[in-house]
Amino acid sequence: MKLNIKTKLIFFVLFAAVVFFILIYVLVFPQMKNYAFERNQETASEISQKYSLLIQTKLDNTIELLNTILKTNKENISENEYALKNFINQFPSVKSIWSISEISENEYNYKNFSRINNEIVYTSDLKNNEHYVQLYKNIKNNPKEADFVLNKKLSEKDIDKIYYSLYIPSYSFNEPNGITGIDIDLKLLIEELNIYIENDKMPVFLATNQNLYEINSELINKQLPKEELFNTIKSSPENKFYYNNSDDNYYIISTPVLINFNSSALKIIVAVDTEIINEKIRNFLLRYVFIALLSLFALGLILFFIFGNFMNRLKITKIVLNAMADGNVSKIKELDTTQTDELSSINKSVNLINSNLDRTAQFIEQIASGNFNFEYLSLTKEDNIGNLLIGMRENLKKSRELEIQRKEADERQTWATLGAAKFSEIIREHSDNLEELAYAIIRDIVNYIDATQGGLFIINENEKNEKLIELIAAYAYNRKKMLSKKITWGVGLVGRCILEKETIFITKVPEKYLSITSGLGEKNPASLLIVPLIFHEEVFGVVELASFKEIEQYKIDLVEQVSESIASAIQMVKINVRTAELLRETKIKSEQSASQEEEIRQNIEEMQAATDELNTQLDDVSRIYNALFSVAEVAVFDANGRIIDISEGYLKFLNKNRNEIIGKIQGSFSYNVPDSESFNVFWRELRNGKTMELEQILKIDDESKRTYTVYIPVKNQDNKVYKVIGYMKQK
């Protein structure tokens, strides 16, 4: 059977109490029993000694007074009748005072004053008093005899009286010649003494050398064999001993009565009934058991109510702890801490844990939502969970920052790659018209890097063959600017940039600074970028860009990256223009004069040199294309959407070899293969020269990967799309 803690505690305390009571019974009760016997024995001894001392004192006082009377009357008691009567009246227990002296052999002089019916009667008749003569003879024959107890019935009215005779001998020539004595009623004497003694309800006897007499007969067991007890007392040399008969067991205490410090035949006997003591002990034991049971019952009730209240509080604490363990927030509540016991201390700790859990939950929720700046502090230096959570937040924050940086870097790389491809295509499309090329380039650069305005300057010569810097294209606020500007060689920031062949980037441009030094006029931008157009260490011009916000470094890098291609294109266009002019002039001159054949031949040679130079430039463009092809995931398609070439990075991403890819239709590895109509529409747009973007999910080795691909059409000299370059990036 499973017991709850309340039952266990009550059972344990009650069991401990029972063991405690049993130990008291086992260890204390034998001592208490011995103590009870010893205490009763001491009480009996005290009672016996009190009776003995009082009787001794009474008798000593009686003898002392008798001696005084005798000395006063010269040992003749008949001379003062008043004194003798007063003596008898003073001691109610004195029955008579008498004197007997020997006149001659068997002739005696006897005198007696006796108390009869509360009157003092004098007599000198020895009739019925021969025992006094016998007493005198015994004293005479044995002077050491001190006293004698009379059993003689003095009269019919004195039945069952116990008289004890005390005497004082008289001497003549050191020989006894008479005695004077008194007869004392011992029962009356004891009655006089009882008013001074509380005998604790114990049986008391007076023992003489002839019999045993009851003093407090109302307390004496009538079945007690007094004769057998008297014989036992008389024969026992001990003053304290146990007396047993078939029915009872007594502890006997015997105390002798001394008269004038001499022993006498009187003894006080106290009989302690051991059964009465045992009965008292049993009654005490019953009371003890009753009190113990009552105490256990009261203790059980107290424990029930105390532990009941404690368990109710503990039950609430248990519910909250279980709710905390299960994560059931609805059952978590504030625990009572108003008490001053240990449970309140535990409740305080539980409340603190709940508060910390709520705070931690809010912190985790904020972290999950991306708020890494949510304030959270550990409780102490030893708060491992709090410190770990703070460390986790810092790690997640760093990871997020690194991810953002990586993403930004990837986006910028993609942006730069697409930009380079875009400008390569512009250069290819406008290779025969310098102005159109310049405008297309400056327009797309301004829009691509989100600048405010821009201009493209080239180096020309005037009629005097002097170099000057001429603005051939300007673009601002999403429109073409028809500006015409010529800058003297080496003047301003543009001139400086050409001379130094270094990029100039200025932020926080002072007021009107641009209008003074810049070729853009009176606009005052927040940042200014001037990039030289250098090809084979020769400067062909500059690109000047202005923005009302600071131009970022990665955008500057892109402009610097494409500047060489722009310079090459400018050179190529100039050569083409020059070649065309030469051909035109050659044709005119050939028609005009055959004599100019040699000049034409020279021109042809110049054209051939220009063509070689153009081929060199085309090789440079090809190298740029190959470099892009080697570092990025690039696929080349024909005009019908079949793969005709693919980069190694793309093959590694697809986990395929080249033979498995070449000839495949675009979208062959996509989860959702496009239908023929969608495919035809997509490639029709590409064949029309439109750049397309496509997001798709590729199936690679049973794994799905989401990709984003930009498709750029490439045209031939006939301005027809003959292939498409696809640049892919994994999302």
Side-chain angles (χ1 to χ4, degrees):
M1 181 177 64
K2 186 177 180 180
L3 300 178
N4 56 34
I5 188 171
K6 174 182 176 182
T7 305
K8 289 179 180 178
L9 288 173
I10 294 176
F11 176 79
F12 174 77
V13 174
L14 291 179
F15 177 76
V18 170
V19 171
F20 174 74
F21 285 124
I22 292 175
L23 287 176
I24 290 178
Y25 174 77
V26 173
L27 298 177
V28 177
F29 261 92
Q31 302 296 329
M32 292 182 63
K33 185 175 181 181
N34 293 334
Y35 174 77
F37 274 100
E38 291 174 359
R39 187 71 187 91
N40 279 273
Q41 291 171 6
E42 291 175 359
T43 302
S45 179
E46 291 173 0
I47 292 173
S48 176
Q49 290 175 5
K50 286 181 182 179
Y51 269 104
S52 173
L53 183 59
L54 289 172
I55 292 174
Q56 174 185 330
T57 303
K58 197 73 172 177
L59 295 180
D60 285 346
N61 291 338
T62 303
I63 292 296
E64 184 65 29
L65 184 58
L66 179 61
N67 272 328
T68 301
I69 293 173
L70 291 176
K71 288 178 182 180
T72 302
N73 294 281
K74 299 179 180 179
E75 300 182 359
N76 187 353
I77 64 172
S78 62
E79 296 295 331
N80 195 339
E81 181 178 351
Y82 174 78
L84 293 176
K85 288 182 179 181
N86 187 49
F87 177 80
I88 294 175
N89 288 329
Q90 187 176 352
F91 296 97
S93 58
V94 175
K95 177 62 178 175
S96 63
I97 182 170
W98 48 269
S99 174
I100 186 171
S101 60
E102 185 177 7
I103 300 174
S104 61
E105 188 175 355
N106 295 325
E107 185 178 0
Y108 300 95
N109 181 17
Y110 171 71
K111 296 177 182 179
N112 185 305
F113 288 92
S114 299
R115 187 195 308 273
I116 298 175
N117 297 328
N118 294 326
E119 292 182 3
I120 306 302
V121 178
Y122 173 78
T123 181
S124 60
D125 187 5
L126 280 174
K127 185 179 180 180
N128 297 325
N129 292 306
E130 291 84 355
H131 56 283
Y132 293 117
V133 177
Q134 184 62 39
L135 176 61
Y136 169 72
K137 290 180 178 181
N138 290 337
I139 295 300
K140 186 178 180 179
N141 294 329
N142 187 8
K144 295 182 179 181
E145 180 73 23
D147 52 16
F148 184 74
V149 178
L150 300 178
N151 292 321
K152 174 79 174 167
K153 295 181 181 178
L154 298 181
S155 66
E156 294 298 331
K157 295 181 180 179
D158 293 328
I159 298 175
D160 296 329
K161 295 293 184 180
I162 305 172
Y163 295 103
Y164 186 73
S165 297
L166 298 175
Y167 66 89
I168 299 174
S170 59
Y171 296 89
S172 177
F173 303 104
N174 293 326
E175 291 290 334
N177 65 347
I179 57 175
T180 300
I182 57 176
D183 294 332
I184 297 175
D185 188 340
L186 292 179
K187 284 193 174 183
L188 289 177
L189 177 62
I190 291 171
E191 289 177 1
E192 293 178 13
L193 299 179
N194 274 339
I195 62 175
Y196 302 105
I197 298 176
E198 294 180 1
N199 57 31
D200 200 23
K201 299 182 180 181
M202 291 186 179
V204 182
F205 300 89
L206 176 63
T208 68
N209 54 2
Q210 293 183 351
N211 207 342
L212 186 66
Y213 302 96
E214 301 173 358
I215 292 180
N216 50 356
S217 57
E218 71 279 1
L219 300 176
I220 297 175
N221 189 351
K222 302 304 180 182
Q223 298 179 356
L224 179 65
K226 291 185 291 183
E227 184 177 353
E228 181 180 348
L229 177 60
F230 175 74
N231 293 331
T232 302
I233 294 171
K234 191 173 181 181
S235 60
S236 175
E238 303 292 336
N239 291 330
K240 298 178 181 179
F241 57 90
Y242 281 96
Y243 167 70
N244 300 307
N245 61 12
S246 58
D247 297 324
D248 301 303
N249 184 17
Y250 291 89
Y251 180 73
I252 305 300
I253 296 177
S254 173
T255 304
V257 178
L258 301 179
I259 301 175
N260 285 337
F261 303 102
N262 296 314
S263 62
S264 67
L266 298 177
K267 291 182 179 180
I268 297 297
I269 307 299
V270 178
V272 180
D273 191 347
T274 59
E275 181 60 29
I276 294 176
I277 298 176
N278 289 330
E279 182 66 23
K280 290 181 179 180
I281 293 174
R282 284 193 295 270
N283 292 336
F284 181 80
L285 177 60
L286 290 175
R287 288 195 300 273
Y288 173 80
V289 172
F290 175 75
I291 293 173
L293 293 176
L294 186 61
S295 300
L296 289 175
F297 178 75
L299 179 62
L301 288 178
I302 294 173
L303 291 176
F304 179 81
F305 288 110
I306 292 177
F307 287 131
N309 179 51
F310 180 81
M311 290 306 298
N312 289 335
R313 295 170 57 207
L314 188 61
K315 183 178 180 181
I316 296 174
T317 303
K318 177 184 176 183
I319 292 173
V320 173
L321 289 175
N322 288 336
M324 291 170 59
D326 297 336
N328 190 350
V329 181
S330 62
K331 290 187 178 180
I332 297 178
K333 60 181 180 180
E334 189 79 10
L335 294 175
D336 177 36
T337 58
T338 58
Q339 304 295 328
T340 58
D341 53 11
E342 288 78 2
L343 184 57
S344 291
S345 299
I346 294 174
N347 288 347
K348 289 180 181 178
S349 299
V350 172
N351 290 339
L352 181 59
I353 292 173
N354 285 336
S355 176
N356 293 338
L357 287 177
D358 291 340
R359 193 166 58 93
T360 301
Q362 293 177 4
F363 174 71
I364 294 174
E365 183 179 0
Q366 292 296 322
I367 293 298
S369 64
N371 182 13
F372 296 105
N373 297 320
F374 182 77
E375 184 177 0
Y376 181 83
L377 299 175
S378 58
L379 297 177
T380 63
K381 293 182 179 179
E382 291 75 23
D383 184 6
N384 292 332
I385 295 177
N387 294 331
L388 288 173
L389 286 173
I390 292 174
M392 179 195 70
R393 177 183 64 184
E394 297 303 320
N395 291 334
L396 289 174
K397 187 176 181 180
K398 290 180 181 178
S399 298
R400 184 179 182 182
E401 291 174 352
L402 292 175
E403 175 64 22
I404 291 173
Q405 293 175 1
R406 185 192 63 79
K407 186 176 180 181
E408 288 179 353
D410 290 344
E411 290 176 351
R412 289 174 180 178
Q413 179 63 35
T414 302
W415 179 84
T417 302
L418 293 175
K422 181 181 183 69
F423 292 117
S424 296
E425 180 65 18
I426 291 173
I427 291 172
R428 191 193 62 77
E429 291 178 353
H430 302 282
S431 61
D432 56 350
N433 190 312
L434 183 58
E435 291 184 358
E436 291 182 359
L437 174 64
Y439 172 73
I441 288 175
I442 198 64
R443 178 196 62 197
D444 283 16
I445 287 179
V446 169
N447 291 332
Y448 202 71
I449 70 171
D450 196 23
T452 304
Q453 60 186 6
L456 193 150
F457 294 85
I458 64 171
I459 300 174
N460 283 328
E461 293 180 353
N462 58 15
E463 295 81 2
K464 298 179 181 181
N465 293 325
E466 295 177 345
K467 291 184 178 180
L468 55 84
I469 306 167
E470 184 177 0
L471 176 66
I472 62 172
Y475 186 83
Y477 303 107
N478 295 323
R479 64 175 56 187
K480 183 178 181 180
K481 296 295 181 179
M482 304 304 294
L483 300 177
S484 177
K485 181 178 290 186
K486 294 181 181 181
I487 301 174
T488 304
W489 180 260
V491 176
L493 292 178
V494 173
R496 174 185 163 188
C497 178
I498 292 174
L499 292 176
E500 295 179 354
K501 298 182 181 181
E502 295 289 340
T503 299
I504 297 177
F505 179 64
I506 299 176
T507 59
K508 297 182 180 179
V509 181
E511 288 290 334
K512 298 184 179 180
Y513 178 80
L514 184 62
S515 62
I516 297 173
T517 60
S518 174
L520 289 180
E522 297 179 355
K523 294 294 182 182
N524 190 43
S527 61
L528 180 67
L529 175 65
I530 304 174
V531 179
L533 304 176
I534 302 173
F535 182 72
H536 289 178
E537 300 298 326
E538 182 181 355
V539 180
F540 289 89
V542 296
V543 172
E544 186 178 55
L545 300 169
S547 177
F548 289 116
K549 56 187 178 180
E550 185 174 339
I551 300 174
E552 297 172 277
Q553 183 60 44
Y554 73 95
K555 296 179 179 180
I556 297 174
D557 294 339
L558 174 64
V559 176
E560 290 179 339
Q561 178 183 345
V562 301
S563 64
E564 185 176 4
S565 299
I566 296 172
S568 174
I570 291 173
Q571 183 189 39
M572 181 182 66
V573 171
K574 281 185 175 182
I575 291 173
N576 289 341
V577 171
R578 178 62 179 165
T579 301
E581 289 178 354
L582 290 174
L583 287 174
R584 196 165 46 252
E585 290 176 358
T586 300
K587 185 177 179 181
I588 293 172
K589 288 180 180 181
S590 63
E591 292 177 352
Q592 291 177 353
S593 177
S595 63
Q596 298 177 346
E597 181 177 359
E598 182 62 23
E599 184 179 354
I600 294 174
R601 184 183 61 79
Q602 292 177 357
N603 290 336
I604 292 174
E605 289 178 354
E606 290 179 359
M607 290 176 59
Q608 184 63 41
T611 303
D612 293 338
E613 183 68 19
L614 178 60
N615 291 332
T616 301
Q617 294 177 1
L618 291 175
D619 290 338
D620 291 338
V621 174
S622 178
R623 284 195 298 273
I624 295 173
Y625 172 79
N626 292 333
L628 179 64
F629 198 78
S630 63
V631 298
E633 287 78 16
V634 179
V636 181
F637 301 83
D638 62 18
N640 296 320
R642 292 188 179 273
I643 299 174
I644 58 176
D645 197 4
I646 188 169
S647 67
E648 292 298 325
Y650 210 155
L651 288 173
K652 186 176 180 180
F653 174 79
L654 295 174
N655 197 20
K656 303 287 184 179
N657 57 48
R658 187 173 296 274
N659 294 331
E660 293 176 311
I661 297 299
I662 299 300
K664 295 291 184 180
I665 295 294
Q666 179 264 338
S668 299
F669 303 102
S670 176
Y671 263 109
N672 299 320
V673 178
D675 54 70
S676 58
E677 183 177 353
S678 299
F679 179 86
N680 292 332
V681 171
F682 183 85
W683 281 94
R684 187 182 304 118
E685 293 292 333
L686 287 172
R687 284 192 292 270
N688 290 333
K690 183 178 181 181
T691 300
M692 302 293 288
E693 298 177 357
L694 180 63
E695 183 176 337
Q696 58 187 344
I697 300 175
L698 300 183
K699 181 179 181 184
I700 301 172
D701 295 335
D702 296 329
E703 183 180 356
S704 299
K705 295 184 178 180
R706 184 179 296 276
T707 63
Y708 171 80
T709 307
V710 177
Y711 294 85
I712 302 173
V714 180
K715 298 179 180 179
N716 57 18
Q717 293 181 353
D718 297 331
N719 201 27
K720 291 184 178 180
V721 174
Y722 71 99
K723 65 179 179 180
V724 175
I725 299 175
Y727 171 73
M728 184 277 295
K729 176 174 176 54
Q730 182 181 359
K731 296 194 72 175

